[in-house]
Amino acid sequence: MVSKLENTTKSIVIPSSIEHIPEVEQFIDEVYNEYNFSKEIYGNVLISLLELVNNAIVHGNKKNPEKQVTISALVEKDILVCRVRDEGNGFD
């Protein structure tokens, strides 16, 4: 489920399970297609976000499928800001 907020932010919420990683890849593709950033940036964003989401699932939420991971992408002019949030305790 991808939603667009305030014409500049897109977000997705997934259960804390590795099986949902393809949804994150699709989300990144949608952001890439909508905002048309360079292929180099696309590759960097893809690798970085997949690693962050994997860490949120494994380390933050301890693979608990009842917890969620939220991924958001904010595009303002020529700046892309991505955030990954989990429901774990500890590191912020």
Side-chain angles (χ1 to χ4, degrees), residues 68-83:
Q68 296 180 327
V69 176
T70 303
I71 304 100
S72 63
L74 166 67
V75 177
E76 187 175 299
K77 297 184 181 180
D78 60 347
I79 298 172
L80 172 65
V81 177
C82 298
R83 289 192 173 130

Side-chain angles (χ1 to χ4, degrees), residues 40-56:
E40 178 182 329
I41 291 173
Y42 169 81
N44 292 338
V45 169
L46 178 67
I47 291 168
S48 299
L49 276 181
L50 292 179
E51 182 65 21
L52 288 169
V53 170
N54 186 63
N55 286 343

Side-chain angles (χ1 to χ4, degrees), residues 79-92:
I79 298 172
L80 172 65
V81 177
C82 298
R83 289 192 173 130
V84 176
R85 292 181 181 232
D86 60 50
E87 295 180 346
N89 295 318
F91 183 75
D92 185 16

Side-chain angles (χ1 to χ4, degrees), residues 11 13 24-26 29 36 44 48 51-52 57 59 63-66 73 77 84 91-92:
S11 63
V13 178
V24 178
E25 293 173 354
Q26 180 181 355
D29 287 346
N36 198 30
N44 292 338
S48 299
E51 182 65 21
L52 288 169
I57 291 169
H59 302 292
K63 297 183 184 178
N64 181 346
E66 294 180 14
K77 297 184 181 180
V84 176
F91 183 75
D92 185 16

